[in-house]
Amino acid sequence: MEQYDQGTAFFDEMFTPHGQVRPHYEGVLSYFRRLGTTEFQRRQALMDLAFRNQGITFTVYGDSAGVERTFPFDPVPRIIPASEWAALEAGLTQRVQALNAFLRDIYSDAQILKDGVIPAELVYTSSNFRREVHGLQVPLGIYTHVVGSDLIRDEQGRYLVLEDNLRSPSGVSYLLANRQAMTRIFPGMFERQGVRTVHHYTTALQRVLSSLSPRAPEATVVVLTPGMYNSAYFEHAYLAQQMGVELVEGRDLFVDSGRVWMRTTSGRTQVDVIYRRIDDDFLDPLTFRRDSALGVPGLVEVYRQGRVAIANAIGAGVADDKAVYAYVPRMIEYYLGERPLLDNVPTFLGWNPDHLAHILENAAELVIKAVGEAGGYGMLIGPAATTAETEEFLNNVRENPRNYIAQPVIGLSRHPTFYPDAARFEPAHVDLRPYILVGQEVTIVPGGLTRVALRRGSLVVNSSQGAAARTPGS
């Protein structure tokens, strides 16, 4: 770390602007200095080998170099002090409570829309609003059982919510696998650090899922995957194995006599709860996309009758529409009567004529995003785009302004990252995705998953865009 230069333009997680190590990183820095660069590289190679042998992979669609690859992992841990984490926990708990209140409302009386707090047009034109489940009473009144909200820190070190992922947030398996590998290969790093455990996550997840059925705790829970070619298939299999439940595809389930059943070698078994990792559109070809071969015909009707629970609930995706995201602070004030503890990034909405004019005039200084995309796709980073790229993207914005938002470029905080090509530590931009379980109480895994932009200077931290992951401790 002796040659590490954190600079002054961005907030550095480990060092102050004057180059002094932050107090909560002193133990980690001392440990790395004792190891030395050669030993650090040797242990990093051991981690890569362990991940490859365990099949810890993800899939990149459209990559000519190949589809499946070992998940890249940065072994330099991010440390979050307990006081910071307590503030994040409070803010995230407040946020998921308001989001669930919003979903319960818009799928029943829609009072928030009648009161004009959120434009009704914005909600009803969302591609993730599902009229098919309007009026349905979901178990415990909860729509978002698993949430992954993305947080960033700006140039002043202030935490901001970048977006909410409420449909099928992924990545928690990498958090768990990373921590397990770190404690085995870098055991001295955790000595006397007071790092909280994360391995209770799958037990807590299984408990939340079981609680959605009247037959809890004997409820039969399954994880529904699109199959082995899905980008997060490793995670689907990992979570099912860790919870001790079956991993199934749509063809493994069927509807009969108003129930959902699973085919097994010993006959059929009734299914009570489905943790689905399939988008709404593909869940039931009788209700949504007729060409879907991934779902279960008749599933939605059983769901409407309350004879099977689905996590996350059908229709929850309307609340992670990036245009609806802009109104979450108003939801918190409306439903909870509280001021938001975590701020959003300032957001301009394409459907608003004044905002649209600002987007078109200032595209070179903004990040413009499609409201329903994820993984770094459907996005233009104005300062990094060519004139031709910008104009082509803005043509799409003009054609469908409802589908786009824009935000100012935020200088994401940076963290020391080891670059093998230079054999030294350099600063890289990072974000943070905590994982939140919502059942009869809210459970948040300490630390979450930090994603690292491995391309030098890049602000894009999605794994599908060339990023790595590290496990934060709190």
Side-chain angles (χ1 to χ4, degrees):
M1 293 283 186
E2 281 70 17
Q3 298 179 348
Y4 179 78
D5 180 14
Q6 80 275 6
T8 58
F10 306 98
F11 183 89
D12 191 274
E13 298 286 342
M14 185 179 288
F15 294 95
T16 70
H18 303 293
Q20 297 172 321
V21 63
R22 299 186 190 277
H24 51 284
Y25 273 99
E26 289 177 351
V28 169
L29 182 59
S30 176
Y31 176 75
F32 279 137
R33 283 173 172 164
R34 291 197 304 271
L35 276 185
T37 300
T38 301
E39 179 62 13
F40 178 89
Q41 288 180 288
R42 187 186 75 83
R43 297 194 187 198
Q44 186 178 38
L46 286 175
M47 290 199 68
D48 291 340
L49 179 62
F51 275 36
R52 187 160 57 249
N53 290 342
Q54 293 176 60
I56 301 175
T57 62
F58 74 108
T59 299
V60 178
Y61 299 124
D63 190 331
S64 59
V67 176
E68 190 174 55
R69 61 182 62 179
T70 303
F71 196 85
F73 175 61
D74 178 12
V76 185
R78 180 179 184 178
I79 307 297
I80 301 174
S83 57
E84 278 185 18
W85 184 250
L88 292 178
E89 278 189 319
L92 292 169
T93 298
Q94 179 192 61
R95 197 169 179 96
V96 296
Q97 289 173 340
L99 285 165
N100 273 288
F102 168 72
L103 289 164
R104 285 193 298 271
D105 189 7
I106 64 167
Y107 284 112
S108 55
D109 296 333
Q111 195 61 48
I112 197 171
L113 307 184
K114 295 174 184 176
D115 290 341
V117 177
I118 298 177
E121 175 189 359
L122 197 67
V123 172
Y124 294 142
T125 58
S126 172
S127 62
N128 292 311
F129 180 76
R130 303 299 180 188
R131 291 170 175 79
E132 297 87 349
V133 294
H134 191 276
L136 188 150
Q137 300 296 312
V138 297
L140 305 179
I142 299 169
Y143 279 79
T144 61
H145 314 89
V146 183
V147 179
S149 291
D150 291 340
L151 306 178
I152 60 173
R153 295 182 91 168
D154 64 14
E155 295 86 346
Q156 289 73 46
R158 181 176 56 135
Y159 284 101
L160 301 170
V161 180
L162 184 63
E163 63 182 46
D164 301 292
N165 298 282
L166 308 175
R167 284 171 285 176
S168 298
S170 63
V172 73
S173 61
Y174 305 117
L175 156 67
L176 302 175
N178 290 355
R179 177 66 67 84
Q180 185 178 42
M182 287 285 287
T183 54
R184 188 171 66 251
I185 297 175
F186 292 90
M189 189 184 301
F190 294 88
E191 292 178 359
R192 297 183 296 277
Q193 294 293 317
V195 178
R196 295 166 61 186
T197 183
V198 298
H199 293 297
H200 62 288
Y201 175 84
T202 51
T203 301
L205 174 60
Q206 201 277 338
R207 185 167 57 246
V208 166
L209 295 174
S210 293
S211 72
L212 304 180
S213 169
R215 297 208 301 163
E218 287 77 27
T220 299
V221 177
V222 299
V223 177
L224 176 60
T225 177
M228 64 182 297
Y229 296 109
N230 183 263
S231 62
Y233 181 73
F234 163 77
E235 174 157 299
H236 307 165
Y238 180 90
L239 292 177
Q241 188 270 333
Q242 291 293 309
M243 287 191 290
V245 304
E246 294 293 333
L247 178 68
V248 300
E249 298 182 27
R251 59 189 176 184
D252 299 318
L253 305 179
F254 65 96
V255 170
D256 184 43
S257 303
R259 307 280 180 180
V260 177
W261 304 87
M262 171 175 55
R263 295 181 174 90
T264 75
T265 55
S266 57
R268 68 182 192 176
T269 299
Q270 182 180 332
V271 173
D272 302 293
V273 182
I274 299 174
Y275 178 31
R276 53 75 170 258
R277 301 301 296 262
I278 294 177
D279 286 343
D280 290 349
D281 280 341
F282 300 96
L283 274 176
D284 182 348
L286 300 184
T287 302
F288 301 119
R289 286 186 52 159
R290 294 185 178 182
D291 61 344
S292 172
L294 303 176
V296 184
L299 173 62
V300 171
E301 182 56 33
V302 180
Y303 180 58
R304 290 189 60 87
Q305 294 172 7
R307 294 176 177 171
V308 70
I310 297 176
N312 285 345
I314 296 175
V318 67
D320 70 13
D321 182 305
K322 290 180 175 63
V324 175
Y325 147 92
Y327 290 88
V328 174
R330 295 191 189 182
M331 296 178 198
I332 293 170
E333 294 173 354
Y334 181 82
Y335 293 114
L336 307 182
E338 301 170 358
R339 292 187 59 81
L341 298 175
L342 291 170
D343 291 330
N344 279 12
V345 174
T347 303
F348 301 95
L349 305 173
W351 73 275
N352 181 308
D354 293 335
H355 289 198
L356 177 61
H358 179 84
I359 294 170
L360 297 176
E361 293 170 9
N362 299 277
E365 303 169 6
L366 299 169
V367 177
I368 308 175
K369 305 175 182 178
V371 298
E373 295 285 354
Y377 297 103
M379 179 171 69
L380 178 83
I381 301 179
T386 66
T387 301
E389 289 169 339
T390 301
E391 191 53 39
E392 180 181 359
F393 198 92
L394 290 182
N395 285 336
N396 296 329
V397 176
R398 293 185 187 99
E399 291 175 5
N400 186 7
R402 165 62 179 84
N403 195 46
Y404 293 91
I405 65 161
Q407 296 169 328
V409 178
I410 304 293
L412 277 63
S413 64
R414 301 199 300 188
H415 194 285
T417 295
F418 189 79
Y419 284 85
D421 61 345
R424 67 170 182 258
F425 294 93
E426 299 179 24
H429 293 286
V430 296
D431 77 346
L432 174 66
R433 176 176 287 185
Y435 292 93
I436 309 156
L437 297 175
V438 187
Q440 294 171 323
E441 58 185 27
V442 175
T443 301
I444 305 179
V445 179
L449 184 72
T450 285
R451 296 177 298 179
V452 186
L454 286 183
R455 287 202 292 261
R456 288 177 173 88
S458 175
L459 292 171
V460 181
V461 294
N462 302 97
S463 58
S464 55
Q465 303 294 320
R470 63 159 57 94
T471 304
S474 67

